[in-house]
Amino acid sequence: AVYRFVQRDAAFTGAEAEAIVHLHEGGDGQFDLIFGADLVRGRDRTAAADLPRITPVRGKVGAAWRHGALALGAEVQFVAQQKRVAPNETPAAAYDLISAYANYRLRHGAVTWDLFIRGSNLGDREARLHTSWLKDLAPLPGRDVTAGVRVTF
């Protein structure tokens, strides 16, 4: 495809919100629930059309627990179908992504060691990022688990 980028009179409207509910905080532990959502709409005022590659409505819910050196968390992100598309642009299907992590922190003098494991798209869902130039060719990665050690000094 050949694209021509031109400046137009455009209008963007949107909102973003996040709330963290501290269910427990005391001693050396903490437990939080996390809620968030965002939306944006982009319109070409000149052509009275939707702008291309605008992210659909998204929401998330998660939990984070920390006790001493151990931290655990999980999140589910919900992404709505994007039906408001520009001319010659394809819509994107809705999807949800599940992620989780565990982290253990060790401190030795001025050196901090973080041992971690992270999992993303744990449900192995096909997800196509509407803002990507390649969404029709390549979806987001499938199930992924990463483990590692991070050292800071």
Side-chain angles (χ1 to χ4, degrees):
V2 176
Y3 298 96
R4 182 173 161 230
F5 293 91
V6 294
Q7 182 174 323
R8 299 285 175 121
D9 184 19
F12 290 89
T13 55
E16 180 178 1
E18 183 174 69
I20 299 174
V21 180
H22 299 293
L23 295 179
H24 171 75
E25 188 170 5
D28 61 349
Q30 181 173 328
F31 181 62
D32 297 331
L33 292 179
I34 303 152
F35 303 94
D38 63 82
L39 62 98
V40 66
R41 177 138 189 234
R43 296 279 297 164
D44 177 344
R45 290 182 176 176
T46 306
D50 290 306
L51 291 174
R53 298 180 22 245
I54 300 294
T55 189
V57 174
R58 299 178 298 181
K60 70 177 180 179
V61 62
W65 178 77
R66 181 185 55 79
H67 184 74
L70 181 63
L72 305 171
E75 178 181 280
V76 180
Q77 182 183 39
F78 306 96
V79 180
Q81 177 183 11
Q82 180 56 289
K83 295 183 280 187
R84 297 177 189 269
V85 294
N88 302 319
E89 184 181 36
T90 58
Y95 59 89
D96 53 13
L97 298 174
I98 301 168
S99 61
Y101 69 89
N103 190 80
Y104 191 79
R105 177 168 282 178
L106 299 165
R107 289 193 171 119
H108 184 67
V111 179
T112 301
W113 298 76
D114 284 309
L115 306 148
F116 65 88
I117 187 165
R118 286 189 306 252
S120 57
N121 194 4
L122 294 174
D124 201 25
R125 302 293 301 256
E126 182 174 309
R128 296 187 181 265
L129 190 61
H130 188 72
T131 57
S132 170
W133 288 103
L134 303 173
K135 80 167 171 28
D136 295 324
L137 301 173
L140 291 174
R143 182 179 299 118
D144 176 56
V145 177
T146 304
V149 177
R150 182 176 35 250
V151 180
T152 54
F153 50 92

